[in-house]
Amino acid sequence: MSSDRMISVISYISIFFAPVLLPLIVWIVGNEFVSKHARRAFISQVLPWLFFLGAMVPLWIVGGDFQSESISIVFISLISLFMISLLVVVILNIIWMIIVLKNTKASA
């Protein structure tokens, strides 16, 4: 397996040990092939956190008081959506990693 493909695979699997940071570094320093995969891994790993911040900051500013039943329901719903989005991102990164590995064996 080429080193480019291996680095691309590591960018995807980094969601388990160095999410966001490793794909960002690889995206910056990698060649065109590696950067494409690292960018995809980076964006997929950042999006759930941006969603979380984008949803929670207004809730904290406006709500602040989590004793209210409506705020609690919204908070629980947002946390649930965040957890689901994290799970989807993990699954997508694994699928993309497998695709890169499969293409390696087909081209070898």
Side-chain angles (χ1 to χ4, degrees):
M1 178 183 322
S2 73
S3 61
D4 288 349
R5 293 198 185 275
M6 188 54 124
I7 294 170
S8 297
V9 166
I10 291 171
S11 293
Y12 289 122
I13 202 71
S14 72
I15 195 163
F16 295 112
F17 60 89
V20 179
L21 183 61
L22 182 68
L24 178 63
I25 292 170
V26 172
W27 181 17
I28 292 170
V29 300
N31 61 28
E32 185 179 343
F33 176 80
V34 173
S35 288
K36 178 182 87 170
H37 290 284
R39 182 183 67 236
R40 181 185 287 172
F42 173 77
I43 291 170
S44 71
Q45 293 172 16
V46 165
L47 281 179
W49 292 101
L50 291 177
F51 163 75
F52 178 74
L53 288 175
M56 296 309 287
V57 168
L59 187 62
W60 286 324
I61 291 172
V62 174
D65 176 25
F66 288 100
Q67 302 302 322
S68 161
E69 184 177 321
S70 62
I71 296 292
S72 297
I73 291 171
V74 170
F75 179 73
I76 291 170
S77 299
L78 289 173
I79 293 296
S80 299
L81 285 172
F82 173 67
M83 297 304 284
I84 291 169
S85 69
L86 281 179
L87 180 63
V88 167
V89 165
V90 168
I91 292 169
L92 277 176
N93 276 269
I94 291 171
I95 289 171
W96 290 332
M97 179 196 69
I98 291 170
I99 289 171
V100 170
L101 287 172
K102 252 182 137 174
N103 289 340
T104 300
K105 292 182 181 182
S107 65

